[in-house]
Amino acid sequence: MNKEKIAILVDSCCNVPQEFVDKYGMYVIPLKVLYKDREYMDGVDITAEEVYRGLEKEIPKTSLPSGEHIQKILDRIKADGYEKVIAVTISSGLSGTNNMINLLAKNYEGLEFFVLDTKNISIGSGFHAIQAARYLEAGMSYQAICEKLEKEVMNCKVFFVVETLEYLQKGGRIGLVASLFGNALHLKPIISCNEDGVYYTVAKVRGRKQSISKTKELALQFAGNHKKYNVSIMHGDAAALCEEIKQDLLPKLPYMDVFVSDQVSPALGVHTGPGTIGICIQVLED
């Protein structure tokens, strides 16, 4: 169906599950996870589990992929016979990856580019790439897909809660989330991305249990009475809790299309820490 020879490119923090990467032949740009003595490629030569297990010894940093690495991926896309690229990245308000791909795309010869700033994080970005692949599979034109993706950016919302704000603070990714929540008060912010793609507090509640409850409630509200939506429950080193939420939540979401449940990528794990739970809803139809 791919008459226009369109490739789909994502960054590793979009958390597109491997099954979709394989099914649709997506290209993935890995971000970097940096330790004092070594650097790794996100999800390539380091796992989320390894990051979590090592946090007591060292909290690594993350950085953009190198321009050279992205250039090599673009060269591979061209060599594989593609002529157009739909690149989907996490929010430009949280990472410089979107800007870097835009800069490289401007000077790249032989490929036409559309770079989507999802203003989102994790699968909240990844769902746009999955939808792009599905639209392509349905025979939609490059132009139509690009326009549809632009329109759908605000139809996708991730609500997440972290065990502690320590990692967001240390990574400088705290955004508009007040970092002064006192541990003595056990106040937990439920975090999402605003229209500029920056973290902000949607709600704040007391205690872990209530925070999970409120996150579920916000996700259900966002799904509302819509007739079709994609759903994801993501976690950071909290598989059992993720499964528990799934059992409770899915029966309440009767119009679900694609469902994704996975651990966040190592690079995202660095910033959110263990115990993170995120619920994403992408509304597809009113």
Side-chain angles (χ1 to χ4, degrees):
M1 298 297 285
N2 196 347
K3 290 179 196 155
E4 292 182 85
K5 298 178 179 164
I6 303 162
I8 294 171
L9 176 66
V10 295
D11 73 58
S12 60
C13 286
C14 289
N15 287 173
V16 176
Q18 194 60 42
E19 63 182 286
F20 289 100
V21 170
D22 294 342
K23 181 179 179 180
Y24 295 116
M26 293 183 192
Y27 294 81
V28 182
I29 299 170
L31 274 77
K32 289 183 188 172
V33 179
L34 310 173
Y35 288 88
K36 288 188 187 105
D37 60 352
R38 195 171 161 193
E39 66 175 51
Y40 297 88
M41 287 196 290
D42 188 28
V44 176
D45 51 9
I46 190 167
T47 65
E49 285 83 0
E50 286 167 328
V51 167
Y52 294 126
R53 296 298 88 83
L55 283 174
E56 280 184 22
K57 289 187 200 152
E58 184 185 348
I59 298 173
K61 292 183 167 48
T62 60
S63 83
L64 302 180
S66 68
E68 188 187 351
H69 193 92
I70 297 174
Q71 187 84 25
K72 278 184 184 159
I73 293 172
L74 300 182
D75 291 345
R76 199 163 84 236
I77 289 171
K78 192 160 86 168
D80 287 346
Y82 292 99
E83 293 172 4
K84 295 171 181 175
V85 178
I86 293 173
V88 175
T89 74
I90 60 167
S91 173
S92 61
L94 296 169
S95 163
T97 311
N98 181 276
N99 188 42
M100 190 181 241
I101 294 171
N102 264 312
L103 288 172
L104 286 166
K106 275 193 182 90
N107 303 312
Y108 196 91
E109 287 181 18
L111 288 173
E112 188 180 335
F113 288 87
F114 169 72
V115 185
L116 182 73
D117 181 355
T118 63
K119 310 279 187 193
N120 222 320
I121 192 73
S122 182
I123 194 66
S125 306
F127 268 147
H128 294 290
I130 292 169
Q131 283 304 119
R134 297 171 92 204
Y135 296 146
L136 188 55
E137 194 177 44
M140 211 181 269
S141 72
Y142 177 71
Q143 190 61 40
I145 295 172
C146 297
E147 285 169 13
K148 199 158 170 53
L149 291 176
E150 275 294 11
K151 281 183 194 151
E152 288 175 347
V153 164
M154 287 302 143
N155 292 355
C156 195
K157 198 89 170 155
V158 173
F159 301 97
F160 72 96
V161 63
V162 293
E163 188 90 77
T164 167
L165 289 169
E166 176 192 357
Y167 301 101
L168 282 174
Q169 281 170 297
K170 284 186 173 159
R173 297 298 194 284
I174 201 77
L176 304 174
V177 178
S179 53
L180 301 172
F181 287 105
N183 281 337
L185 297 172
H186 297 295
L187 281 175
K188 299 274 185 189
I190 287 106
I191 304 166
S192 190
C193 295
N194 67 10
E195 287 178 5
D196 298 319
V198 174
Y199 291 149
Y200 77 111
T201 304
V202 189
K204 48 184 184 279
V205 290
R206 191 154 283 148
R208 173 76 166 165
K209 203 174 169 187
Q210 267 91 338
S211 72
I212 300 290
S213 221
K214 187 68 179 172
T215 305
K216 289 192 279 193
E217 186 190 311
L218 288 164
L220 288 170
Q221 276 172 12
F222 193 75
N225 295 317
H226 296 292
K227 290 291 175 274
K228 192 180 181 188
Y229 36 76
N230 292 333
V231 178
S232 175
I233 306 166
M234 303 292 286
H235 71 93
D237 204 28
L241 179 55
C242 183
E243 184 58 33
E244 212 176 285
I245 293 166
K246 177 182 159 185
Q247 299 302 327
D248 177 45
L249 203 62
L250 296 197
K252 297 168 186 168
L253 292 164
Y255 301 114
M256 184 176 74
D257 191 11
V258 171
F259 175 66
V260 168
S261 185
D262 211 345
Q263 176 138 272
V264 298
S265 72
L268 281 183
V270 167
H271 293 293
T272 50
T276 300
I277 286 288
I279 304 172
C280 175
I281 305 284
Q282 181 186 36
V283 173
L284 299 172
E285 278 176 25
D286 293 338

